[in-house]
């Protein structure tokens, strides 16, 4: 199956702040394909996580912040 960067970015935007299993699935799919992403897209995801008014329940927030750290380590 081939997934585009755009599809994963839209999924990321959908999943950000949701209280479902969607965030974990989307984060995993993005990380599996991260080296196909343009740096500007990774930077946008980091910014959206930082500016999100709500990241979900406490355990969701922890996962989003870990994900953000992984994204940051890729662009440094």
């Amino acid at each position: 199956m081939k997934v585009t960067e755009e599809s994963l970015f839209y999924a990321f935007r959908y999943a950000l702040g949701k209280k479902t299993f969607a965030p974990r699935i989307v984060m995993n799919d993005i990380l599996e394909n991260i080296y196909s992403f343009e740096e500007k897209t990774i930077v946008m995801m980091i910014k959206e996580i930082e500016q999100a008014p709500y990241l979900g329940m406490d355990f969701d927030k922890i996962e989003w912040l870990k994900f953000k750290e992984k994204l940051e380590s890729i662009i440094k």
Side-chain angles (χ1 to χ4, degrees):
M1 178 180 308
K2 183 176 173 156
V3 179
T4 65
E5 175 182 342
E6 290 82 11
S7 295
L8 287 174
F9 186 69
Y10 295 144
F12 162 80
R13 281 191 164 162
Y14 166 80
L16 191 60
K18 294 286 191 252
K19 298 179 190 178
T20 66
F21 291 107
R24 180 90 277 355
I25 293 167
V26 170
M27 287 182 231
N28 286 338
D29 287 347
I30 289 171
L31 291 174
E32 286 180 19
N33 293 282
I34 197 65
Y35 294 106
S36 298
F37 278 70
E38 292 184 28
E39 185 173 320
K40 68 179 184 172
T41 304
I42 297 170
V43 170
M44 285 190 319
M45 285 190 283
I46 292 167
K47 190 177 214 178
E48 290 199 23
I49 293 169
E50 290 173 343
Q51 295 177 349
Y54 180 69
L55 293 174
M57 312 257 311
D58 287 343
F59 63 89
D60 294 320
K61 182 177 180 178
I62 291 167
E63 291 302 313
W64 280 114
L65 295 176
K66 286 181 189 175
F67 179 69
K68 180 178 149 293
E69 287 176 8
K70 289 177 185 175
L71 295 177
E72 289 170 334
S73 72
I74 289 167
I75 61 169
K76 290 184 179 181

